[in-house]
Structure formats: C-alpha cells, structure tokens
Amino acid sequence: MNIPIPTGTFDILPFDSKEEWRSAHLWAYVEKVARKLAQTYGYEEIRTPLFERTELFQRSVGDTSDIVSKEMYTFEDKGGRLLSLRPEGTASVIRAFVEKKLHTLQAMHRLFYIGPMFRYERPQSGRFRQHHQFGVEMIGSKEPISDAEIIGMLYALYENLGLQNLTVNINSLGDKETRGIFREALRDYLRPHLAHLSEESQARFELNPLRIFDSKDERDKEIVKNAPTIVQQLNAECADHFQSVCALLNELKIPYIVNASLVRGLDYYTKTVFEITAGELGAQNTIGAGGRYDGLLKQLGGPDLPSIGFATGIERIIQTMLKQQVPTPARKRPDVYFIALGEVAQNWSFTCAQELRRNGVVCLQDMSGKKLKQAMQLANDARAEYTIVLGDREIQEGICELKEMDSGKTTKIALAEVPLFFQTRNKE
C-alpha cells in the first residue's frame, strides 16, 4: 500500500536528482553557516516545543492575523486542551523566556532557533505547510543600534551564503499611540472606497485596517496606492528612532528602501519592521523579515523589555541559491570503501574501518554479499575516493591494492600502513 506524503510537505533526502533544493547536504550547509553567524554575533540556541497552547498565538500574533484566523493547525488533545502547531517562532521563544524567568539571569539576551513551523495555506513555490526557519531574538535593548544590528545580521547571512540581487525594505509602525491615530486616518481615507474593497479587506477595515496594505487583491492595491502612510503620523520619538536606524544602515553600507506600505502580518510589531527580498523567487520573493515587538513580553505576563528579531525561510534561501547558481559544497565523499572477500578479510576490514573512523576518516564496508564486480559498482555509486579489495591472499601477504576511483590508478600498500595513509591524507 502506497501512503503518500501529506500535501504541502516534503522529504529532505541524502540526494535528489530532480529537486536539488531538497538535498540534505545543502540544508546542513545553510544551517551550519547560520549557526556560525549566530555564534559570531553572540547568540545562543533555544529550542521550544513544536506545539503550544493555542491562546499563546491568539494573544501574541493576533486574532485578526491570517496566521491565527486561517492558517493554524489547531487540535484538541485527549485532556481537552486546545493546542496548535507553532506557526512562527517568536511567540514560543517569548513564552519560554517568561515562564523560565530568564530576565532574572542577565540584562541582555540574544537567542536563535532553527526548526519547522506549520501553516495551513495553499502550497506554492517557496511556501509549504511545513516550512523551516532560522530566527533570532534580541531582548533587552530599545536602542536603534540593536535594530541596525539585527538587519545587518540577516543581510550578512545572505552575503555569507553568496546571495545577490537583495532588496532591503524598511518601515516604522510607530508606537501604540501612533498606530491608533493612523488607523483612524486610514479608515477616513478608505471609507469612501469601502464598497470597492475585497471582501477580506472589508472585514479588516474595522478589525485592523493596516492589514489591508498586505492584500494581494489588485483592486485593494490600487485603492491603497494613494493612502496616507504611517511614517507621516510618527511622533518625534518614533521618527528619531527610525531616522537613527536608517543612518546606521548607511554606516553599514546596506542598501535599503523605505517602503511606507510595509506593515508585516503579525499584530505584535512596533516601530521598525523590515523584509529582504530576492527577485528570483517570483511573487513569493520575501526570504527573510522581522521587526521590533517591544510590548509582547509584557503582554504575555513578563517584564516590559524591548525586543527585536527576524526569521528567514531555509527553503527560500536554498531555492534562491540554486536559481542564482551560487556555488555550493558538494556532498561529502567516503574516503575509502572496503570490499572484503572471506570472513578473515571482513574482520580485518571491520577493525581497520573502526580505527579510521575514530580518526575522522569516512569509511564504508561492503555488506551486500554481492560478487566483486557488483560490489565495485556499489563503491562507485557511493562516490568513494578509494577502494580496497581484500581476500585471503592479501591477508596472508599483508599487502593490498589501493584503487583511486576517479583515475583508476592502483597502488600496492602494506595493510599495516592503511590507517596511516588515510589519517595523513585527512590532515592535508
């Protein structure tokens, strides 16, 4: 019986000739670069559960957001508790921060996570029902320099991976007071156009009119084109903060565009919001985004600490790398493939392979039970750099043939020298 994979999900495989972006070695490479970058910036890893109490996301992300209203995987467990698979990472990190009272340990916190998120939406290029994110959260600083560092860190990740044609979009949503004033100004502008808005935007008109800027409906886009912008409503403190962030990005020589219609889809954002796009992904071209969420900790029962972060989709990073033909590391090749004919030869190969592995040499031993010609084909399929074929004669004489698979060149070598040969070669 063939049971297919659920719609909107995918397997990450050792290799995939048809869908290269699903190759495990590419994922491991991107995650390695991300972890190294996080450590360079002084961030420490946090891991949270894949599911949380549904109210966590309702209170943090917002009931009016698409994530909560349309996209969450929500279920009732056997104890009658309403739980949801995490649709994003920030809420879980903040929940853990509050619950474990991490604020009592130190004043500043820099945290990062890597893992799957879940959203029920129509699968399309770069968007899946299970997707994976690398994200960071900085908790404890309200200064513009922290905003610039976060944006610079995300930009540096893409640079380190070799991505090109990047566009940084940045905006300010101001504070609670600013957004209240802007909502009314926006409603006043939209009210004469209300009947012409999409059904979804009409619903957002009262609940959260800022979300109308996120609409993909062409009629809505045309209507909001001339709408007032929140940047025009910023008070002095928020305007100074935003100008300082932009000045710091200039110092870092990070090119950016002030995008007055950028609002992001989550309710917890305040002041700085940003996203980075890559044209190669088409309509779904945002590869990373984030912003400041100064009130979220207090909202979830913690101390009133300023916070900012970002998240970036690993799928979209890898797809962009491949579309831009960024050089990527090849899969690691086995150093040596042992083909042993006979029990004594098998035992020697097994012991030698264990010694080599302890010294970091990648070894495979043929366990197929096939004849020599077929076993050599398996060594070739495994992309081994060398093969060693052993039988009773080789064991008795203490000498074997080392075959370099790419060139076909063979070299005689004493069995006792095999470990030293590969250990020395591995250090070069």
Side-chain angles (χ1 to χ4, degrees):
M1 179 180 179
N2 181 24
I3 303 176
I5 192 169
T7 301
T9 63
F10 57 91
D11 297 308
I12 299 171
L13 306 170
F15 55 89
D16 192 324
S17 58
K18 294 182 179 179
E19 297 281 355
E20 189 180 356
W21 67 269
R22 299 190 304 189
S23 298
H25 77 281
L26 287 180
W27 283 73
Y29 169 66
V30 171
E31 291 172 7
K32 180 180 178 181
V33 172
R35 288 179 185 279
K36 184 177 179 180
L37 179 76
Q39 292 162 1
T40 301
Y41 277 75
Y43 283 72
E44 297 180 284
E45 185 171 11
I46 183 170
R47 303 189 188 193
T48 61
L50 296 185
F51 60 90
E52 301 270 6
R53 294 178 185 271
T54 300
E55 63 183 303
L56 171 67
F57 303 115
Q58 291 173 331
R59 289 179 60 187
S60 59
V61 177
D63 284 327
T64 64
S65 68
D66 283 352
I67 290 177
V68 171
S69 63
K70 300 178 182 179
E71 298 170 359
M72 281 206 306
Y73 279 91
T74 299
F75 59 95
E76 187 176 290
D77 72 1
K78 293 183 179 181
R81 292 170 289 263
L82 202 60
L83 305 173
S84 295
L85 298 181
R86 64 183 186 194
E88 56 94 44
T90 299
S92 294
V93 171
I94 297 303
R95 189 270 311 150
F97 186 92
V98 172
E99 187 173 355
K100 304 305 178 185
K101 296 181 170 60
L102 297 187
H103 65 279
T104 64
L105 303 180
Q106 58 192 50
M108 279 288 298
H109 294 263
R110 290 177 169 88
L111 306 169
F112 81 90
Y113 58 86
I114 298 178
M117 310 294 162
F118 305 86
R119 298 184 190 180
Y120 187 88
E121 52 189 342
R122 184 171 64 85
Q124 52 190 296
S125 178
R127 178 171 286 186
F128 302 91
R129 291 176 179 173
Q130 176 177 304
H131 59 283
H132 302 74
Q133 291 183 350
F134 165 63
V136 308
E137 316 293 350
M138 181 194 292
I139 301 171
S141 173
K142 66 178 181 179
E143 301 302 321
I145 196 169
S146 57
D147 303 43
E149 178 179 296
I150 286 287
I151 297 171
M153 183 178 178
L154 181 57
Y155 197 81
L157 172 66
Y158 300 144
E159 283 191 319
N160 291 353
L161 289 167
L163 300 188
Q164 301 174 4
N165 303 328
L166 302 171
T167 301
V168 178
N169 289 268
I170 185 172
N171 193 21
S172 176
L173 299 182
D175 54 16
K176 186 176 181 181
E177 177 188 4
T178 298
R179 287 196 303 281
I181 295 171
F182 177 64
R183 282 192 189 98
E184 291 311 311
L186 183 58
R187 286 192 182 105
D188 289 343
Y189 169 81
L190 291 172
R191 197 166 279 111
H193 306 281
L194 191 57
H196 302 288
L197 290 173
S198 66
E199 185 177 338
E200 185 175 49
S201 289
Q202 289 182 32
R204 288 171 172 173
F205 178 80
E206 290 297 339
L207 294 172
N208 189 352
L210 273 71
R211 294 296 322 287
I212 296 175
F213 283 105
D214 276 341
S215 175
K216 303 298 186 289
D217 188 284
E218 292 301 324
R219 293 172 301 169
D220 295 347
K221 290 180 180 180
E222 189 63 30
I223 289 172
V224 300
K225 188 181 293 184
N226 297 315
T229 64
I230 197 165
V231 173
Q232 298 167 338
Q233 308 289 337
L234 295 180
N235 57 34
E237 192 272 330
C238 292
D240 288 346
H241 184 98
F242 187 57
Q243 288 169 10
S244 296
V245 173
C246 292
L248 288 164
L249 293 180
N250 290 333
E251 288 289 327
L252 294 176
K253 294 182 172 53
I254 293 177
Y256 64 89
I257 297 170
V258 176
N259 183 348
S261 64
L262 177 64
V263 296
R264 302 298 303 147
L266 310 181
D267 288 356
Y268 53 60
Y269 283 123
T270 60
K271 292 186 179 176
T272 307
V273 290
F274 62 92
E275 65 180 23
I276 300 181
T277 61
E280 283 77 7
L281 289 182
Q284 301 296 332
N285 64 351
T286 299
I287 54 176
R292 180 167 284 282
Y293 50 95
D294 289 345
L296 184 57
L297 259 167
K298 184 178 181 181
Q299 183 181 329
L300 294 180
D304 191 9
L305 295 177
S307 309
I308 185 170
F310 70 70
T312 180
I314 297 178
E315 291 87 347
R316 295 189 182 189
I317 288 176
I318 293 174
Q319 289 175 348
T320 303
M321 291 169 66
L322 293 173
K323 287 183 178 181
Q324 292 185 352
Q325 298 183 327
V326 173
T328 57
R331 284 191 293 135
K332 172 64 178 172
R333 299 177 65 180
D335 294 295
V336 57
Y337 192 103
F338 289 100
I339 301 174
L341 309 174
E343 184 176 348
V344 176
Q346 284 183 350
N347 290 340
W348 185 93
S349 298
F350 181 75
T351 303
C352 183
Q354 291 297 89
E355 180 182 348
L356 288 171
R357 289 167 183 150
R358 280 193 290 267
N359 288 279
V361 179
V362 181
C363 303
L364 292 176
Q365 181 172 358
D366 181 64
M367 298 180 181
S368 67
K370 296 184 181 294
K371 294 182 179 180
L372 179 58
K373 183 177 180 180
Q374 294 168 307
M376 285 295 293
Q377 183 58 50
L378 292 176
N380 190 59
D381 292 343
R383 300 166 55 251
E385 294 196 47
Y386 290 90
T387 56
I388 293 178
V389 180
L390 290 168
D392 291 342
R393 188 184 69 184
E394 286 78 13
I395 295 296
Q396 290 171 0
E397 295 177 355
I399 296 176
C400 66
E401 273 196 353
L402 190 65
K403 182 175 181 179
E404 188 173 5
M405 294 296 284
D406 290 345
S407 66
K409 179 183 176 182
T410 60
T411 306
K412 289 191 178 296
I413 183 173
L415 295 182
E417 294 177 5
V418 169
L420 182 61
F421 173 85
F422 286 104
Q423 290 166 24
T424 302
R425 181 177 171 276
N426 242 30
K427 293 177 182 177
E428 293 176 355

